[in-house]
Amino acid sequence: MNENESIIIGIDLGTTNSLVGVVDSGFPIVLADQNGDRLLPSCVSWPAGQPPLIGNEALRSRILSPGRTVTSIKRFIGRTFADLSEDEIREAGFTVVPGTVGEIEVQLDSETRISPEKISSLILQRLKENAEAALEMPVTRAVITVPAYFNNTQREATKRAAELAGLTVERIINEPTAAALAYGLDKLDEESTVAVYDLGGGTFDLSILQMKDGFFEVISTAGDTRLGGDDLDRAIAQHFIEVLSPGPLSPEEEATVMVRAREAKEALSSEESVIIRFPFFRENESYEVALTRARFEELIAPVIERTRPICQRAFAEAANKGAGRVQKLILVGGSTRIPLVREKLKTWLDLEPDVSQHPDETVALGAAIQAGMLCGRVRQIILVDVTPLSLGIETFGGLMNVIIPRNTTIPTKAGELFTNAVDNQESMAIRVLQGERELAKDNWLLGEVTVPFSPGPRSSARVGVQFSIDRNGILEVLARDTATGEDHVLEIRNAAINVDDEAVERMVSESIDYAFEDMNERIWTEATFKSAELLPAVAEALTLVGSLLPDEDRAAIDRASMNVRQILEGTEHNAPALKAANSALDEATQTLAALLVEAAFSDLD
Ligand code: ADP
Ligand code: MG
């Protein structure tokens, strides 16, 4: 079996948005579609007489044909019509009817009925196609996530939907488990207890998980399948309608207000106020509403408050079952981007939420990791989101110049300006190093690029070196001659991040063991540069104005110069001695320097 056949993708089949991920060169990533979008809205639409639209295209057509557009189909998968409450049927946004054996069907028009499984399979099929396009290979196997509260029938139905889409389901895993995997919680202590707060588009759940012997077990889960971002949209839409008071709305107008409400909500997660426009809303009438973060928070607070008793229930149940203290709180779902949610949680649960991941990608990344483990693409899960070792370049004298220190979170970017160390240098070799040692030779050489420049005096060239590491751990080194603007690029694939744990440990402990020697060597090297500047300058000054110097000064200078030379020639790199000798020479040449200045002035006269 070749690698192509064995690849497994990870899928987050969400109520509102779905994503697909994979482990690529050791790292879990979420794949983008051809437009660069990583979130596929879980929406399917059937414009009359046309093939179905999926994702954003389907969402856009909702305003035009609301009855033929299906969203949140996940609410219906694997359930029977008798299960449904009247509210669920009424609020679906499309027509739900009982099928021949009591199953649920969506009625698009008088002739067309379609099952929730089939609708889900269209979404899965699109994810599969997006993955195939991104990976440039066929994909037939997947790991799919489902909510922890899904029963066996719902899980089976999800699996059948995947099969309809041409995917073999290698494993179904719980969404909170996937989230915990993505956070790399398997790296925590032997036993740990974590809470996953997932507030998505239409559902909320809180799960408490316990990690034991490398496995996650869901200890308790509580939720509300009718609570999420949509409710926030409704609260804001209601506010707009009150402010605008346009009278009864048509279904199309209602859909427009909901779309604008959602835009306002998402913008207010990062902005303090927004202005929402309704151009040509009615009879060529345009409207505008301003909304501040404070007012927005008042409007949504009652909805957020509804998650509180649910959290308490799950925490209480976990405690009853003897789970340990919850050590970590993970936020999942697009709606946890809202600052008010984070604030409230902090006070309710007395836990600092971990927000180190994209809340809407966490589950998909976890699914990708599980998939990677199954197909052997992740041998040992190392979810490195920091640089394990420092990265830098070799500078004059064989020293390590760190550009990105170890333990920097990725993605990251940093740079520095370098110059030519000697006159008429024609190029600069940029040697990219990794490691913690002071001397270049003790670190690992990752790659090399040469930057040519037009020869000039020492320190006249300017070369900007920039290191950037993307989220996949790929290091790109860009060296630019600032005089010509010419760029030289070196790409180092994942070596920057993907380092064997043992090698990292060895490197770090060696850097500690040799810290004294290394530091001595750095100071020594830097002191030799100083000597290399001083000695010829002193010799030159002596030929110019040496005859004017009192004998004792002359003798002192000769002694000091000799001392520097002797230390330089010695086999022992005595850094403090060389530094002291440099200073003594500097000191001894005070009179000489003054004479030089005088001579320079008299030349001017
Ligand atoms: P699901 O898991 O239910 O498919 P997601 O986790 O993708 O849902 O969350 C979708 C919800 O997140 C939507 O209601 C969307 O409006 C909301 N959302 C996305 N980004 C933001 C944001 N920046 N601020 C507030 N809400 C957001
Ligand atoms: Mg979700």
Side-chain angles (χ1 to χ4, degrees), residues 12 14-15 17 74 175 198 200 332-333 363:
D12 170 9
T15 309
N17 294 302
K74 189 172 169 180
E175 288 164 9
D198 185 347
V332 177
V363 171

Side-chain angles (χ1 to χ4, degrees), residues 316-379:
E317 194 189 330
N320 273 343
K321 290 187 178 164
R325 210 180 64 83
V326 173
Q327 288 141 321
K328 216 166 169 76
L329 172 62
I330 299 177
L331 301 191
V332 177
S335 302
T336 61
R337 285 226 158 102
I338 298 171
L340 183 71
V341 172
R342 299 178 173 193
E343 257 167 58
K344 295 243 172 205
L345 280 175
K346 226 184 293 181
T347 46
W348 294 344
L349 304 177
D350 194 24
L351 278 167
E352 187 69 40
D354 188 323
V355 293
S356 60
Q357 305 257 329
H358 280 304
D360 32 33
E361 293 187 358
T362 317
V363 171
L365 287 175
I369 291 165
Q370 180 67 64
M373 285 156 74
L374 291 175
C375 64
R377 287 192 158 224
V378 187
R379 238 153 289 137

Side-chain angles (χ1 to χ4, degrees), residues 196-481:
V196 179
Y197 179 101
D198 185 347
L199 188 60
T203 60
F204 166 67
D205 47 89
L206 186 121
S207 311
I208 294 181
L209 283 73
Q210 200 162 32
M211 221 277 290
K212 242 188 194 161
D213 313 318
F215 281 99
F216 284 107
E217 193 193 339
V218 178
I219 304 292
S220 68
T221 182
D224 184 335
T225 52
R226 317 195 51 72
L227 172 59
D230 298 346
D231 297 285
L232 306 177
D233 299 351
R234 263 193 290 278
I236 300 160
Q238 192 53 40
H239 169 73
F240 287 165
I241 291 167
E242 276 163 25
V243 174
L244 300 173
S245 53
L249 297 179
S250 68
E252 289 77 14
E253 286 169 339
E254 224 166 82
T256 306
V257 175
M258 281 295 280
V259 170
R260 295 288 168 270
R262 179 170 171 171
E263 286 166 3
K265 172 190 72 176
E266 294 182 2
L268 283 165
S269 283
S270 49
E271 268 146 60
E272 286 303 319
S273 68
V274 287
I275 292 172
I276 300 300
R277 299 193 165 83
F278 297 89
F280 310 111
F281 187 66
R282 177 172 291 171
E283 287 140 22
N284 284 347
E285 189 102 37
S286 297
Y287 298 90
E288 230 179 66
V289 190
L291 186 59
T292 62
R293 168 88 65 87
R295 183 74 187 106
F296 164 73
E297 291 186 341
E298 277 170 26
L299 294 169
I300 64 161
V303 180
I304 310 296
E305 285 289 340
R306 283 170 58 198
T307 67
R308 186 181 187 171
I310 299 169
C311 293
Q312 286 167 337
R313 220 162 58 224
F315 271 73
E317 194 189 330
N320 273 343
K321 290 187 178 164
R325 210 180 64 83
V326 173
Q327 288 141 321
K328 216 166 169 76
L329 172 62
I330 299 177
L331 301 191
V332 177
S335 302
T336 61
R337 285 226 158 102
I338 298 171
L340 183 71
V341 172
R342 299 178 173 193
E343 257 167 58
K344 295 243 172 205
L345 280 175
K346 226 184 293 181
T347 46
W348 294 344
L349 304 177
D350 194 24
L351 278 167
E352 187 69 40
D354 188 323
V355 293
S356 60
Q357 305 257 329
H358 280 304
D360 32 33
E361 293 187 358
T362 317
V363 171
L365 287 175
I369 291 165
Q370 180 67 64
M373 285 156 74
L374 291 175
C375 64
R377 287 192 158 224
V378 187
R379 238 153 289 137
Q380 171 199 16
I381 329 178
I382 18 165
L383 273 151
V384 203
D385 49 3
V386 297
T387 51
L389 292 171
S390 302
L391 294 159
I393 68 168
E394 176 172 345
T395 53
F396 192 60
L399 296 177
M400 165 78 165
N401 184 309
V402 173
I403 292 184
I404 297 177
R406 76 182 286 251
N407 281 336
T408 303
T409 10
I410 61 161
T412 186
K413 204 180 250 189
E416 234 175 271
L417 213 52
F418 295 91
T419 187
N420 55 329
V422 293
D423 291 338
N424 298 323
Q425 195 176 323
E426 286 181 354
S427 65
M428 185 188 285
I430 307 276
R431 291 161 61 80
V432 180
L433 303 171
Q434 179 172 43
E436 303 313 308
R437 305 289 300 275
E438 296 285 342
L439 300 188
K441 68 172 173 58
D442 296 322
N443 290 320
W444 305 326
L445 180 66
L446 296 184
E448 198 165 352
V449 62
T450 302
V451 182
F453 38 71
S454 32
R458 178 169 157 246
S459 295
S460 62
R462 290 276 179 278
V463 176
V465 176
Q466 186 185 64
F467 278 31
S468 50
I469 305 178
D470 69 10
R471 48 182 297 132
N472 307 321
I474 293 170
L475 167 66
E476 191 190 82
V477 177
L478 181 136
R480 172 175 301 166
D481 179 351

